[in-house]
Amino acid sequence: MELNTIERDDIGAAAEDLVVPPAATRKVFVKTYGCQMNVYDSQRMTDALATDGYAATDAIGEADLVLLNTCHIREKAAEKVYSELGRIRELKAERAKAGREMLVGVAGCVAQAEGAEIIRRSPAVDLVIGPQTYHRLPAVLAKARSGEKIVETDYAVEDKFEHLPQPKRAELIRRAVTAFLTVQEGCDKFCTFCVVPYTRGSEVSRPVAQIVAEAERLADAGVREVTLLGQNVNAWHGRGEDSEEWGLGRLLFRLAEIPGLARLRYTTSHPRDMDDELIAAHRDLPALMPYLHLPVQSGSDRILKAMNRRHMAKDYLTLIDRIRAARNDIALSGDFIVGFPGETEADFEATMQLVEDVNYASAFSFKYSPRPGTPGAEMNDQVPEAVKDERLQRLQALLLKQQQHFGASLVGKTIDTLIEKPGRQAGQKVGRSPWLQPVIVDEKAGEIGDIIRVRITKTGYNSLFAELA
Ligand code: 5AD
Ligand code: SF4
């Protein structure tokens, strides 16, 4: 497929005058916005760039390539990118004065949604690359280095994941004992508030063999916990090793067989795709952590309909009952939007009631943000900002109370903790509870990668303190 090009503008000196460092000494600075899938994608891009001679750096000032992996989900997220590009423009000009080139790339969902508009608004940008074409990054960069401006937002016909290089084993070992693994990408649900179907495209599931191979590589390098990612992860399906059609439940059982992988998680799910086999996996699979992020967005049937969520509040509550019957210690998490067009006080009260009924262990809540190109943005009855603010405050106060209550309920209990990294304070290490809370322990409690039994002694704001049981 062709690369779209735009004429290069003159930031600082012309490209030919700048010192282009040879491969292997080039440095890339990657900044990630948004969701976990972007974190995963940034890692894969960094891996692809390593084979192209770029070493990762944390110091933006010394970067030959700055890559912003962006998020388009809410207006604020997208605006952050443009203000960052303003700062980068100055850095780039300073570097040019010193005779060094700094290429600037925008990847991710803003890249996909806005394409060439980004270069028009921020002329310091040299390349724009959408999420479906990351495997073409080295080719795109070669062109950009020769002075072309590139916009690469086509949906690739070839399988991106087949073409993205895997990191070396030694590199994987150096990384964390937890890892993300994208199994599904895109979304066909078209909730009326959401840009994802437009930025990430339609639903694609990665094949079983690819997923198993990647999970095995991770486990072989010492990874103990894998979180399967997808915008609609529980819609994942594929032909299994037995030639049967597998769903996510079956895939989880298969991954649990991999030696060394002690913990599995998945995110984010849609209530409509929680099938019996997946619920059974929560009952029968000890490796599947008792934590489920299951966004409902609203507790009002009228608003759920307007959002095109395709279920009612009571369907969600019934589903939660079935999941809790399968695994009674499961912690539930959700996403909420307040101030969707037409939301009345009564609709909002229905959301508060649903939150009371479910009792969440954690949750994320947002003010509705109209996104260009989505049906919600065109709807009448947009809710005033002040009303959104007030509702968000009330909802967040309730969710925070529930979260703290959940933490407090664990004090005195003995639980498993995966030790993940050194603590911020000397003498401490930080682990992770089955319910995703950070657990602070004495550094001598175990080594990174160990799963230890600890007794919870007290709670912090968002964390737990524990001692060896
Ligand atoms: N406005 C506010 N929140 C949104 N989300 C998605 N789109 C919007 C929007 N336009 C929230 C939803 C989703 C989470 C990832 O972000 O709650 O589950
Ligand atoms: Fe942001 Fe959604 Fe894209 Fe993730 S999928 S990067 S949250 S817009």
Side-chain angles (χ1 to χ4, degrees):
M1 229 165 281
E2 253 195 296
L3 304 175
N4 307 312
T5 59
I6 292 183
E7 264 176 73
R8 192 183 180 92
D9 102 303
D10 262 342
I11 282 277
E16 318 59 277
D17 305 336
L18 300 177
V19 180
V20 179
T25 62
R26 294 185 196 130
K27 291 194 173 142
V28 56
F29 174 89
V30 183
K31 181 162 179 174
T32 308
Y33 301 80
C35 65
Q36 290 130 321
M37 190 172 287
N38 269 5
V39 174
Y40 175 83
D41 286 345
S42 289
Q43 190 66 71
R44 296 298 300 259
M45 283 192 275
T46 308
D47 293 338
L49 289 168
T51 61
D52 199 30
Y54 282 92
T57 176
D58 293 333
I60 189 168
E62 62 177 38
D64 305 293
L65 168 64
V66 173
L67 206 50
L68 304 184
N69 192 5
T70 61
C71 176
H72 203 242
I73 196 91
R74 284 169 292 274
E75 189 181 359
K76 254 199 201 148
E79 280 309 315
K80 264 193 216 157
V81 174
Y82 283 106
S83 51
E84 182 70 18
L85 285 172
R87 283 190 291 273
I88 289 170
R89 183 189 182 131
E90 286 166 26
L91 274 179
K92 180 171 176 159
E94 265 169 42
R95 250 180 96 85
K97 268 190 226 137
R100 300 273 300 196
E101 183 169 52
M102 177 191 267
L103 287 178
V104 179
V106 176
C109 292
V110 176
Q112 189 64 42
E114 308 216 330
E117 175 63 20
I118 298 175
I119 297 180
R120 273 190 283 274
R121 235 178 112 173
S122 302
V125 174
D126 300 287
L127 61 115
V128 173
I129 185 164
Q132 302 315 325
T133 39
Y134 291 156
H135 55 298
R136 298 192 194 149
L137 195 52
V140 166
L141 271 172
K143 288 208 168 194
R145 277 195 300 266
S146 72
E148 257 178 76
K149 293 246 176 191
I150 320 274
V151 178
E152 172 67 286
T153 51
D154 287 337
Y155 287 104
V157 281
E158 69 272 19
D159 177 358
K160 160 178 74 174
F161 294 106
E162 278 286 351
H163 291 83
L164 276 168
Q166 290 283 351
K168 297 215 165 65
R169 184 167 182 269
E171 170 59 25
L172 276 181
I173 290 172
R174 215 181 48 76
R175 291 183 194 161
V177 292
T178 59
F180 294 131
L181 200 178
T182 292
V183 300
Q184 181 281 330
E185 200 173 339
C187 181
D188 294 339
K189 295 256 178 334
F190 291 93
C191 300
T192 53
F193 53 81
C194 189
V195 286
V196 168
Y198 313 97
T199 58
R200 290 277 172 174
S202 56
E203 268 176 23
V204 176
S205 292
R206 285 179 75 186
V208 172
Q210 240 186 47
I211 296 168
V212 170
E214 191 166 327
E216 282 173 347
R217 286 177 64 95
L218 292 169
D220 177 56
V223 167
R224 307 300 316 279
E225 174 179 302
V226 168
T227 302
L228 307 183
L229 300 180
Q231 272 89 31
N232 221 329
V233 70
N234 56 344
W236 178 90
H237 60 96
R239 178 172 289 243
E241 290 149 337
D242 53 5
S243 296
E244 304 263 313
E245 184 69 7
W246 287 9
L248 188 68
R250 209 36 231 287
L251 180 68
L252 286 162
F253 275 96
R254 173 65 184 88
L255 296 176
E257 288 170 10
I258 296 173
L261 276 194
R263 290 179 157 198
L264 296 170
R265 304 178 185 276
Y266 61 92
T267 198
T268 289
S269 297
H270 193 289
R272 295 258 309 192
D273 292 317
M274 284 305 298
D275 64 13
D276 292 344
E277 195 166 35
L278 187 51
I279 296 175
H282 279 286
R283 183 189 60 214
D284 299 333
L285 203 53
L288 183 54
M289 290 294 99
Y291 179 94
L292 177 61
H293 183 63
L294 194 61
V296 66
Q297 314 296 355
S298 168
S300 152
D301 287 340
R302 227 172 52 78
I303 297 297
L304 286 170
K305 188 155 195 294
M307 287 176 163
N308 192 31
R309 293 291 291 178
R310 294 188 280 169
H311 66 77
M312 296 202 284
K314 82 165 174 353
D315 302 322
Y316 182 81
L317 293 172
T318 308
L319 178 61
I320 298 291
D321 286 344
R322 285 173 54 216
I323 295 165
R324 281 191 164 135
R327 178 92 203 221
N328 65 8
D329 68 340
I330 200 159
L332 288 159
S333 155
D335 289 340
F336 295 90
I337 296 177
V338 300
F340 186 79
E343 187 187 73
T344 62
E345 185 59 25
D347 293 319
F348 176 68
E349 285 299 338
T351 299
M352 294 290 277
Q353 186 58 51
L354 179 140
V355 171
E356 292 279 8
D357 291 345
V358 172
N359 193 14
Y360 287 92
S362 78
F364 304 90
S365 45
F366 314 98
K367 287 189 282 182
Y368 173 67
S369 165
R371 307 309 292 127
T374 61
E378 308 297 316
M379 289 179 187
N380 299 324
D381 300 333
Q382 297 287 331
V383 175
E385 214 48 33
V387 176
K388 289 186 198 169
D389 281 329
E390 188 261 342
R391 288 182 188 162
L392 187 68
Q393 258 185 30
R394 277 157 68 197
L395 177 60
Q396 289 189 334
L398 175 59
L399 290 168
L400 181 65
K401 197 178 83 187
Q402 294 188 345
Q403 181 180 326
Q404 288 175 340
H405 189 261
F406 176 66
S409 74
L410 294 172
V411 174
K413 296 228 165 80
T414 300
I415 68 165
D416 282 342
T417 294
L418 168 61
I419 304 185
E420 288 186 1
K421 56 186 178 194
R424 238 177 271 152
Q425 282 177 31
Q428 294 180 337
K429 282 200 179 98
V430 185
R432 189 72 65 174
S433 81
W435 308 283
L436 222 50
Q437 299 127 309
V439 181
I440 318 291
V441 293
D442 188 279
E443 67 174 345
K444 294 192 198 72
E447 296 306 315
I448 289 168
D450 288 350
I451 294 174
I452 58 172
R453 295 288 287 169
V454 299
R455 192 168 44 253
I456 306 300
T457 53
K458 61 176 182 176
T459 61
Y461 181 71
N462 180 33
S463 54
L464 303 169
F465 290 84
E467 58 193 20
L468 262 185

